[in-house]
Amino acid sequence: MKKIILSFLAISLVAVGFFAFKPKHHATKRPNIVFIMSDDHAYQAISAYDTRLTQTPNIDRIAKEGILFTNACVTNSICAPSRAVILTGKHSHLNGKIDNYFPFDTTNITFPQILQKNGYQTAMFGKLHFGNNPKGFDEFQILPDQGDYYNPDIITKKEGKKKLTGYVTDLITDITLNWLKNEREEEKPFFLAYLHKAPHREWLPAERHFKEYLKKTFPEPSTLFDNYEGRGRASKEAEMNLLTHMNWAGDSKIFPENMDKLGIKESHPYDKRNYNYTVGRMNAEQRKVWDEAYGKMNEEFMAKFPTMTEKEKMQWRYQRYMQDYLGSIASVDEGVGKVLDFLKKNNLEENTIVVYTSDQGFYLGEHGWFDKRFIFDESFKTPLLVRWPNVIKAGTKNSKMVQNLDFAQTFLEAAGIKPPSDMQGESLIPIFKGQDNHFRDAAYYHYYEYPSVHMVKRHYGIVTEKYKLVHFYYDVDEWELYDRMNDKNEMKNVYNDPKYAKVKAELHQKLAALRIKYKDSEKLDKMYIEKYDELLKAGKIFR
């Protein structure tokens, strides 16, 4: 009898243990991944980072419910190369897509291919920027090259190329939601790339935002009238000044006929051409709303232009820039909200990683500039907000030097897949779990596209949380060092300051080590210069 009772107790304890410690289904199920990326979306234009310019309540939700990275950055601040780094998990010099001219080597293995091979349903909608047949996707609908804001063409996997009617941000959102509702296979985990064209140049808001944003006035950056004293030739020779290099018609939306009346010359040969093309894609109904809103702006400008000082012109162009740039972001934020709402209403929120980022940062008048390309913060840093319930503690902030190089490893690890040995990033999952002690303390950067549009010189460098060391090369040989803690606007090059001698020596040593670690070298620099010069001679580089 005693043995029977003991046996019964043992069985009972096992049973209790089984039911008590059985893991919940969502804890073991592989997570879905929603990767949201905009084009040229500056971190300064997300209110989770800075409330001075605009409000982005839906994008902010990701940070409130997850983690916001304050030092997220890119390896090469230009559109197509950044996307190639994200997909391959390798620096530009290894994946071969160093700039917007070099073709993407399609023999590269991308993380969506690996996810697809391992049972994930995969989809990409929006702007890829290179290649018309992305590998590793069960479904895609992508914009050719840069894409268009109004009535865009789109390349589909099933139907080929077709023209859509409407505003590009709304269309990409609708296509994404349709896939989630009607084409998603519920028994499979999914990877969804939801990729916006906005707010890429030339900035065109949705019709519903025209009048609202044309009325807005924005605070000027403290460095709007920077004269670049204390820095080298790279800053002084770059061609991205709001007053002198931004297009009057294509960017500021002055009607070409009004430029002629006022005697305003084109800033670039594609100035009026770009305006006529982008606005020319509107249908009659869209164009009527455009002409009414922007016609009034043109009338006001024509009345004041003859008496405007150069300072006033610069200030006016900054406001015009911000109105369209931030107006373009408004619809992105609305679309993000719709996708987040869908995940919540359909019980997908708990087991879905949601990422919001940009392919790089962007200048919003800082140093008098627009565009990107530099290792300086506004270009180099990118927004990164991630939500993953039950893994990431809500409302977390992190200052580690995370990069777009890290997405591939992160997503593969989340899916329980060992990444290929040639990927160069680091998984962010330890950071998600609050374990960041052993993460990288320095990021490596390398920009190649020169001489070309905007004329930002070739350079590479190392960035830590405290300092930044940069080498500009090709037609110069100049070094710059910045104290990121005490010179947040990066106005003073302290490379030759004796007080920073020890820091400089340490950073030189670390930079050399990073070049070796990531397999970059002077030999590769020379090889890419030779190939680029061949394209220059052949007239294939856009200036």
Side-chain angles (χ1 to χ4, degrees), residues 26-27 29-34 58 61-66 180 184 190 336-355 386-392 394:
H26 73 76
K29 187 178 178 183
R30 292 189 294 173
N32 306 308
I33 303 165
V34 177
N58 294 300
R61 280 165 59 185
I62 302 171
K64 288 176 183 176
E65 297 166 6
L180 282 167
R184 179 174 56 88
F190 65 83
V336 169
K338 291 178 181 178
V339 171
L340 294 178
D341 289 345
F342 179 90
L343 295 175
K344 186 172 185 177
K345 290 176 183 176
N346 290 273
N347 299 316
L348 290 168
E349 194 174 58
E350 286 294 299
N351 195 42
T352 300
I353 302 169
V354 177
V355 175
V386 185
R387 185 183 74 186
W388 190 2
N390 305 311
V391 176
I392 298 173

Side-chain angles (χ1 to χ4, degrees), residues 328-340:
S328 300
I329 288 169
S331 56
V332 172
D333 188 67
E334 292 165 353
V336 169
K338 291 178 181 178
V339 171
L340 294 178

Side-chain angles (χ1 to χ4, degrees), residues 358-497:
S358 175
D359 52 355
Q360 63 262 319
F362 213 68
Y363 286 102
L364 304 184
E366 298 91 357
H367 308 289
W369 288 337
F370 65 105
D371 206 70
K372 57 258 185 180
R373 302 167 195 266
F374 274 114
I375 196 173
F376 304 135
D377 272 5
E378 290 83 6
S379 165
F380 168 74
K381 284 175 57 175
T382 189
L384 179 57
L385 309 85
V386 185
R387 185 183 74 186
W388 190 2
N390 305 311
V391 176
I392 298 173
K393 183 181 178 181
T396 304
K397 286 189 178 182
N398 187 277
S399 63
K400 288 294 183 181
M401 302 302 301
V402 306
Q403 293 192 282
N404 56 349
L405 186 70
D406 301 324
F407 290 129
Q409 266 95 330
T410 302
F411 297 150
L412 291 176
E413 181 177 327
I417 303 166
K418 185 178 180 179
S421 59
D422 62 346
M423 284 188 172
Q424 297 180 303
E426 297 185 30
S427 171
L428 302 180
I429 291 178
I431 296 180
F432 294 164
K433 295 178 178 179
Q435 303 161 1
D436 65 3
N437 291 337
H438 302 292
F439 199 78
R440 75 166 68 88
D441 61 0
Y444 180 64
Y445 181 88
H446 200 153
Y447 174 79
Y448 299 85
E449 193 174 290
Y450 175 88
S452 184
V453 62
H454 297 304
M455 298 299 284
V456 173
K457 296 185 184 298
R458 292 170 183 255
H459 58 289
Y460 60 84
I462 180 174
V463 185
T464 70
E465 291 187 43
K466 293 183 177 181
Y467 301 105
K468 182 175 297 182
L469 177 68
V470 194
H471 181 215
F472 292 96
Y473 69 99
Y474 184 80
D475 60 345
V476 292
D477 181 12
E478 295 183 348
W479 289 87
E480 298 185 8
L481 173 64
Y482 294 91
D483 185 332
R484 299 184 74 207
M485 297 291 102
N486 297 310
D487 180 19
K488 293 188 182 298
N489 290 326
E490 298 172 310
M491 301 287 282
K492 186 179 180 183
N493 173 20
V494 294
Y495 186 78
N496 293 316
D497 187 331

Side-chain angles (χ1 to χ4, degrees), residues 510-524:
K510 280 190 174 184
L511 177 58
L514 280 185
R515 296 261 284 175
I516 293 170
K517 175 183 177 179
Y518 292 123
K519 301 178 182 178
D520 203 1
S521 64
E522 287 189 12
K523 184 178 179 181
L524 279 177

Side-chain angles (χ1 to χ4, degrees), residues 288-339:
K288 182 180 179 181
V289 180
W290 170 268
D291 286 341
E292 180 184 349
Y294 283 78
K296 184 177 180 182
M297 178 274 290
N298 268 261
E299 289 175 6
E300 293 171 352
F301 174 76
M302 290 187 73
K304 67 174 70 172
F305 180 79
T307 60
M308 290 172 74
T309 64
E310 292 299 291
K311 180 180 179 181
E312 288 170 337
K313 289 175 185 176
M314 180 68 154
Q315 293 172 315
W316 182 89
R317 299 205 76 179
Y318 168 74
Q319 295 298 334
R320 263 293 39 252
Y321 173 32
M322 288 298 92
Q323 288 165 353
D324 287 348
Y325 179 91
L326 297 171
S328 300
I329 288 169
S331 56
V332 172
D333 188 67
E334 292 165 353
V336 169
K338 291 178 181 178
V339 171

Side-chain angles (χ1 to χ4, degrees), residues 4-286:
I4 293 172
I5 294 171
L6 288 172
S7 297
F8 176 77
L9 285 172
I11 292 168
S12 299
L13 286 170
V14 170
V16 169
F18 175 78
F19 288 112
F21 296 105
K22 185 177 180 180
K24 293 181 180 179
H25 180 63
H26 73 76
T28 57
K29 187 178 178 183
R30 292 189 294 173
N32 306 308
I33 303 165
V34 177
F35 181 68
I36 311 170
M37 184 166 71
S38 297
D39 195 310
D40 293 343
H41 191 172
Y43 63 89
Q44 313 94 287
I46 293 178
S47 47
Y49 284 94
D50 194 331
T51 59
R52 288 174 293 181
L53 288 176
T54 195
Q55 293 294 319
T56 51
N58 294 300
I59 296 171
D60 291 358
R61 280 165 59 185
I62 302 171
K64 288 176 183 176
E65 297 166 6
I67 187 169
L68 180 143
F69 288 92
T70 58
N71 263 320
C73 57
V74 295
T75 63
N76 183 0
S77 184
I78 189 166
C79 298
S82 174
R83 293 159 193 267
V85 168
I86 289 170
L87 288 171
T88 64
K90 293 189 281 189
H91 275 276
S92 300
H93 58 273
L94 291 190
N95 69 48
K97 186 64 178 165
I98 62 164
D99 57 33
N100 283 337
Y101 301 105
F102 277 62
F104 178 65
D105 181 356
T106 56
T107 64
N108 280 300
I109 301 299
T110 66
F111 78 81
Q113 288 176 271
I114 300 171
L115 288 174
Q116 185 188 49
K117 187 178 179 181
N118 284 271
Y120 268 71
Q121 186 183 11
T122 56
M124 173 186 282
F125 304 119
K127 182 176 178 180
L128 172 62
H129 195 175
F130 63 86
N132 293 334
N133 188 19
K135 290 184 178 181
F137 290 95
D138 299 309
E139 171 66 331
F140 64 78
Q141 295 190 45
I142 58 173
L143 302 168
D145 194 40
Q146 295 287 359
D148 295 293
Y149 276 104
Y150 279 86
N151 309 321
D153 294 324
I154 199 155
I155 298 165
T156 71
K157 185 169 185 175
K158 299 173 182 176
E159 303 171 82
K161 188 176 180 180
K162 60 182 182 179
K163 185 174 181 178
L164 305 179
T165 299
Y167 183 66
V168 68
T169 304
D170 299 340
L171 292 168
I172 293 169
T173 300
D174 291 344
I175 291 168
T176 298
L177 289 171
N178 178 67
W179 184 85
L180 282 167
K181 292 174 185 175
N182 302 314
E183 298 182 39
R184 179 174 56 88
E185 300 175 35
E186 294 187 12
E187 70 278 7
K188 284 186 176 183
F190 65 83
F191 171 77
L192 170 62
Y194 169 43
L195 312 175
H196 284 296
K197 169 187 171 61
H200 193 278
R201 189 186 186 190
E202 289 79 11
W203 311 279
L204 294 178
E207 298 148 86
R208 62 186 176 276
H209 296 304
F210 286 170
K211 292 183 179 179
E212 175 191 357
Y213 277 83
L214 282 167
K215 293 176 183 177
K216 288 180 179 284
T217 301
F218 302 93
E220 296 174 4
S222 61
T223 59
L224 182 63
F225 295 95
D226 191 355
N227 62 9
Y228 316 114
E229 286 184 8
R231 279 148 289 167
R233 285 176 55 188
S235 294
K236 295 170 183 174
E237 296 179 13
E239 296 178 359
M240 40 203 269
N241 183 270
L242 289 174
L243 179 59
T244 55
H245 301 119
M246 184 173 275
N247 293 331
W248 284 96
D251 295 327
S252 294
K253 312 306 189 303
I254 299 303
F255 297 168
E257 60 270 25
N258 289 341
M259 287 175 61
D260 295 338
K261 291 175 184 176
L262 294 170
I264 298 174
K265 295 181 180 180
E266 292 185 277
S267 298
H268 195 277
Y270 59 69
D271 188 342
K272 292 179 182 178
R273 184 197 71 182
N274 279 11
Y275 174 89
N276 290 329
Y277 174 78
T278 55
V279 177
R281 291 190 67 90
M282 295 180 180
N283 59 33
E285 184 179 349
Q286 294 162 343

